[in-house]
Amino acid sequence: MTDLRDYLRRLESRGEVLHVEEPLSARYEIAAALKMFDGKQVLMFDDVKDYESGVVGGVCGTRERILDALNVSPENLYPRLLDAGKNPVQCEIGDGPVKEVIVDNPGLGDFPILTHFQGDPGPYITSGIVYAKSPDGSVENVSFHRLLVLDEKRMAIRIVPRHLYRITQMAREAGLDSLDVSISIGVHPAVYVSSALPQSFGTREFDVANNLLDGGLKLTECPHVDALAPADAELVLEGRIKLNENATEGPFVDLSGTADVQRQQPVVELVGAMHREDYMYEALLPASSEHRLLMGMPPEVRIWEYVRNVVPTVRGVNMTMGGMGWLHCVVSFEKFREGDPKNVLMAMFAAHPSLKHAWVVDADIDPYNMEEVEWAMATRFRGDKDLMVIPNVRVSSLDPVSDQEKELGCKTGFDATKPIGLEGGFERPDIPISDEVRKLLEAYSRRT
Ligand SMILES: Cc1cc2nc3c(=O)[nH]c(=O)nc-3n(C[C@H](O)[C@H](O)[C@H](O)COP(=O)(O)O)c2cc1C
């Protein structure tokens, strides 16, 4: 199972997909529906006003669905992602269903690209993963980049200075005026997760996804540009990043749910496309739980790695939804020594420099359940002993209350673990019932 459709069929069979049959517009209406069902079911829009193809959204909208798609248990998520990054498996190259329709002269208006929020400057592709390679072919890269539709043939691409940026620099130095890219939309969640994970420069993230998909991911050569894309994607746009042409990108509603600033960013010219006969356009609502989970997962992996150097048993790491998957994190671990929690807090801040508030809780607290975390704060945290305040430190550009000009703010850590030596009031007794009664109650809870 390596494509989006197979995974959606699995979700359909479990009743996790809701079909919206009434016609809705790609301009605001589908975004509003995605917002209403954020973190709940996957939505399939079978009838999109003015378009023949359908739209699907919210696929990676819950942690459980991501784990399910990757076929891993919560405890195995981080080791599995680290292993896949260290051991990429080269994808086979060949043809596939994305080549059912090859479009020689597409226009961006042909595709149901969503306009999400009031104030957006136009339709935004938010679920596109961009493949590019260096002019000498030695370095390949795949990463998420939002693209603002400027007109029928041009988009503005947001490129944070990382690997794609380095490849554009290499292309400039080689004297080129454009760089071929593929933009894949509608792929298996493992391909999306891999594209969000930072790897060493030169790792082709498709091969990381291929490890996660047990060697089943096939790539295909694009017909109009020198680029590869998943052979079983729903839709692939073929483009050229114009290395000497910029356009205004933004304002874009980012992770925080507030509008990001406008920037001058490179233009991508659309030169071709390919898609399945009955392709689905995959939507990803900005600031949704899907956006936050995919952004928060890479820091979770790094925090897990760093914290494991400090304490042996980590139950879980949660870049929380309320902290927009970026500013807040909870780590649950088995505490052996009184000094451990503050070391864990320091490891968390070191692993993810954008982190603003960090919580550590004991292993009996589920870090993914914020009501439990709050309970731990209420019963195990003392403001005079368990607070760690680090003033005048670099903070995230997504933290509006900090000094953005100097990038200075305050980081705060909360040790909500049980103090060793203090007895009483920390354990929560279970209700003793037989296995038979437990199974009966579980069957009832599944029915609701
Ligand atoms: C949903 C989503 C949207 C993203 N949008 C962008 C973007 O517009 N521009 C960008 O440079 N990075 C964006 N990122 C982050 C990159 O995909 C991420 O940092 C990736 O690891 C970079 O790959 P690289 O290490 O190969 O450079 C986004 C990530 C996610 C999950």
Side-chain angles (χ1 to χ4, degrees):
M1 188 185 73
T2 69
D3 70 1
L4 173 65
R5 283 181 189 217
D6 279 334
Y7 184 58
L8 286 175
R9 268 193 283 276
R10 190 150 117 197
L11 295 180
E12 286 254 23
S13 70
R14 295 205 302 247
E16 287 187 47
V17 179
L18 189 69
H19 285 265
V20 179
E21 285 156 12
E22 293 76 9
L24 285 187
S25 168
R27 190 172 157 78
Y28 302 130
E29 293 175 0
I30 291 181
L34 289 172
K35 189 165 182 197
M36 183 171 281
F37 285 84
D38 186 22
K40 300 181 188 125
Q41 286 103 323
V42 171
L43 292 187
M44 293 259 250
F45 301 90
D46 299 330
D47 188 351
V48 181
K49 278 182 201 165
D50 305 324
Y51 294 96
E52 275 174 24
S53 54
V55 170
V56 61
V59 179
C60 296
T62 68
R63 183 177 288 275
E64 292 70 29
R65 277 208 288 275
I66 294 178
L67 291 169
D68 177 52
L70 300 181
N71 225 354
V72 286
S73 62
E75 313 76 62
N76 280 334
L77 175 67
Y78 307 127
R80 183 81 181 90
L81 292 178
L82 280 172
D83 173 71
K86 285 185 190 135
N87 301 294
V89 177
Q90 199 159 16
C91 297
E92 196 190 311
I93 310 240
D95 284 339
V98 73
K99 283 196 161 150
E100 282 167 6
V101 179
I102 291 180
V103 194
D104 292 327
N105 188 21
L108 287 159
D110 301 344
F111 310 105
I113 304 169
L114 304 193
T115 305
H116 305 97
F117 294 98
Q118 195 167 22
D120 278 4
Y124 253 110
I125 298 173
T126 48
S127 55
I129 49 167
V130 176
Y131 164 96
K133 68 175 173 190
S134 59
D136 64 0
S138 63
V139 175
E140 295 170 85
N141 191 70
V142 187
S143 44
F144 267 97
H145 295 270
R146 67 193 190 223
L147 295 121
L148 168 66
V149 174
L150 300 171
D151 53 43
E152 275 296 280
K153 290 285 183 195
R154 294 181 325 135
M155 298 163 271
I157 181 170
R158 169 75 177 129
I159 307 181
V160 178
R162 283 191 54 81
H163 295 163
L164 178 60
Y165 183 83
R166 261 171 88 177
I167 293 178
T168 60
Q169 296 290 67
M170 289 163 89
R172 267 190 203 97
E173 282 156 20
L176 302 181
D177 59 11
S178 69
L179 176 73
D180 286 6
V181 291
S182 68
I183 302 158
S184 303
I185 298 166
V187 291
H188 190 278
V191 183
Y192 277 137
V193 167
S194 303
S195 308
L197 289 172
Q199 307 294 351
S200 56
F201 189 48
T203 300
R204 186 171 71 181
E205 282 81 353
F206 285 144
D207 299 333
V208 176
N210 197 28
N211 176 319
L212 293 172
L213 292 168
D214 298 325
L217 184 68
K218 200 204 258 185
L219 302 180
T220 198
E221 282 164 2
C222 290
H224 302 95
V225 293
D226 185 11
L228 294 167
D232 55 13
E234 291 293 318
L235 165 68
V236 174
L237 304 179
E238 300 168 88
R240 290 204 177 104
I241 300 182
K242 312 286 278 180
L243 298 170
N244 302 312
E245 189 183 341
N246 282 346
T248 303
E249 189 274 330
F252 173 79
V253 171
D254 212 336
L255 273 185
S256 56
T258 59
D260 197 0
V261 297
Q262 290 185 314
R263 298 179 180 87
Q264 289 301 302
Q265 292 287 290
V267 166
V268 180
E269 179 194 12
L270 181 70
V271 296
M274 53 182 175
H275 57 78
R276 291 174 184 241
E277 196 89 54
D278 57 345
Y279 81 91
M280 283 173 288
Y281 179 86
E282 183 161 4
L284 194 158
L285 182 72
S288 62
S289 50
E290 180 167 34
H291 192 185
R292 291 172 178 179
L293 281 164
L294 287 169
M295 283 294 291
M297 207 152 271
E300 282 183 4
V301 176
R302 192 149 354 101
I303 289 170
W304 181 82
E305 228 186 337
Y306 276 46
V307 169
R308 280 214 329 157
N309 282 329
V310 178
V311 288
T313 318
V314 184
R315 172 173 173 185
V317 181
N318 180 15
M319 296 290 298
T320 71
M321 290 293 103
M324 60 175 101
W326 204 243
L327 299 188
H328 285 179
C329 184
V330 182
V331 163
S332 161
F333 75 104
E334 219 161 306
K335 175 174 163 183
F336 294 107
R337 287 161 301 198
E338 200 50 74
D340 283 340
K342 289 204 173 88
N343 277 342
V344 171
L345 288 169
M346 288 192 283
M348 292 166 75
F349 288 124
H352 179 49
S354 292
L355 196 60
K356 180 177 178 184
H357 295 143
W359 288 261
V360 287
V361 293
D362 294 294
D364 65 329
I365 302 294
D366 176 0
Y368 305 104
N369 179 340
M370 290 309 287
E371 203 168 308
E372 281 211 24
V373 173
E374 191 186 351
W375 180 84
M377 277 292 281
T379 58
R380 300 177 183 183
F381 172 79
R382 301 157 298 182
D384 57 340
K385 294 189 172 72
D386 304 320
L387 188 69
M388 191 165 96
V389 181
I390 312 166
N392 284 320
V393 60
R394 211 196 93 204
V395 288
S396 165
S397 60
L398 289 171
D399 175 11
V401 82
S402 293
D403 183 340
Q404 285 299 332
E405 208 176 304
K406 296 192 189 131
E407 289 192 330
L408 282 178
C410 181
K411 294 185 192 291
T412 311
F414 305 90
D415 168 9
T417 60
K418 286 176 276 190
I420 291 173
L422 261 190
E423 300 298 329
F426 298 121
E427 308 309 329
R428 293 168 291 176
D430 211 348
I431 300 179
I433 46 170
S434 65
D435 279 354
E436 203 184 345
V437 174
R438 189 178 306 280
K439 278 189 196 130
L440 174 89
L441 297 179
E442 280 168 3
Y444 266 102
S445 85
R446 275 196 296 274
R447 271 193 240 163
T448 55

